[in-house]
Amino acid sequence: MLIGNVGRDPEVRYYDHDQAVARISLATTERGYTLPNGTQVPEHTDWHTILLYKNLAKIVEEYVHKGDKLYIEGRIRYRSYVDQSGQRKDVTEIQAENMEMLTPKPRA
C-alpha cells in the first residue's frame, strides 16, 4: 500500500483489442523528525514506478495528472534486462490492483 503524489502525467499504451497499460511515477515521502537525543533525521522521498492495467489504466489516462495524490494497493515485481550497451539493469515496479484518487476535484 502506498500513498503519494504523481510525479508526471501518466504514460498510457494500448495493445490487443483496446487493452491499456499505464505507467506512473509516484513519490512517497517520510517526514523529517528529531530523535530524543536531538539528532535531526531529514525528510526522505522514494520514487516508485506503478503499472496499471485495463480499466485502471483507462481511469488513470482520463483523470490522473502530475501532482495528484493517490492511494495504491498492489504487488511488487522485480525484473531485469540488458540495455543497448550490454549492461544489466534491475527494475522494481508495483503492479497496481486497486487505486483511489485522493486529490479533491475542483468545483465547477
Side-chain angles (χ1 to χ4, degrees):
M1 292 182 278
L2 298 171
I3 295 176
N5 291 13
V6 178
R8 62 178 180 261
D9 285 339
E11 300 169 21
V12 180
R13 294 196 174 117
Y14 284 84
Y15 62 95
D16 291 340
H17 305 295
D18 198 37
Q19 297 300 308
V21 61
R23 177 186 305 266
I24 59 173
S25 58
L26 191 75
T28 58
T29 302
E30 292 180 53
R31 295 179 190 225
Y33 56 93
T34 304
L35 296 172
N37 67 6
T39 303
Q40 296 285 326
V41 177
E43 179 176 281
H44 177 79
T45 299
D46 286 309
W47 287 92
H48 311 275
T49 300
I50 312 293
L51 298 176
L52 304 102
Y53 295 93
K54 301 179 182 178
N55 289 337
L56 278 181
K58 292 176 182 181
I59 291 168
V60 164
E61 180 178 36
E62 189 169 347
Y63 297 107
V64 174
H65 305 286
K66 178 181 177 178
D68 287 351
K69 186 176 286 282
L70 297 179
Y71 167 81
I72 299 286
E73 289 179 6
R75 298 175 189 264
I76 192 165
R77 294 286 184 233
Y78 304 101
R79 64 180 177 88
S80 61
Y81 66 95
V82 177
D83 70 7
Q84 292 177 347
S85 64
Q87 296 288 331
R88 179 186 158 144
K89 301 287 184 177
D90 295 315
V91 178
T92 303
E93 298 169 324
I94 307 297
Q95 291 184 345
E97 296 172 349
N98 189 24
M99 176 193 72
E100 205 168 311
M101 294 178 280
L102 302 176
T103 300
K105 295 201 184 272
R107 293 182 181 200

